[in-house]
C-alpha cells in the first residue's frame, strides 16, 4: 500500500523487548535490539528454520556487549 506500518512492543519486567516472529513457518523467540544492524539467531533457532552452518562458517567478527564473537553469515 506504500504506507508506513508501525508496531508497538512493550518491555518485559527486565526492560527487554521480546517478540515471537514466524520464520519459514516456525515460531521463535527473539529479543529486539533497537541499536542492532544485524539479525542474530541462536544456533538452535537457525536449525529450527532450516539454516545449517558448520564451525568453519563462523568467520564474521561481531561486537557485542560481552566482547567480540564470530558469527556465520547467511542469507
Amino acid at each position: 500500500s506504500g504506507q508506513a506500518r508501525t508496531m508497538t512492543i512493550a518491555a518485559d519486567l527486565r526492560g527487554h523487548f521480546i517478540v515471537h516472529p514466524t520464520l519459514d513457518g516456525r515460531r521463535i523467540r527473539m529479543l529486539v535490539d533497537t541499536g542492532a544492524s544485524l539479525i542474530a539467531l541462536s544456533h538452535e533457532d537457525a536449525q529450527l528454520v532450516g539454516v545449517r552452518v558448520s564451525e568453519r562458517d563462523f568467520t564474521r567478527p561481531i561486537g557485542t556487549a560481552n566482547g567480540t564473537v564470530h558469527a556465520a553469515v547467511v542469507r
Side-chain angles (χ1 to χ4, degrees):
S1 68
Q3 295 179 348
R5 296 175 64 182
T6 62
M7 176 187 293
T8 302
I9 304 167
D12 67 11
L13 295 175
R14 298 172 299 163
H16 296 160
F17 297 93
I18 305 296
V19 295
H20 295 89
T22 301
L23 298 177
D24 200 25
R26 308 287 179 132
R27 188 169 178 198
I28 64 170
R29 180 179 183 271
M30 293 183 82
L31 171 75
V32 176
D33 179 349
T34 59
S37 53
L38 299 171
I39 295 172
L41 297 176
S42 70
H43 188 261
E44 295 79 14
D45 284 339
Q47 284 185 324
L48 183 67
V49 298
V51 175
R52 303 286 183 253
V53 294
S54 68
E55 284 294 321
R56 69 177 180 271
D57 296 321
F58 289 80
T59 59
R60 173 77 60 91
I62 303 291
T64 74
N66 291 325
T68 301
V69 298
H70 285 86
V73 178
V74 297
R75 287 185 176 244

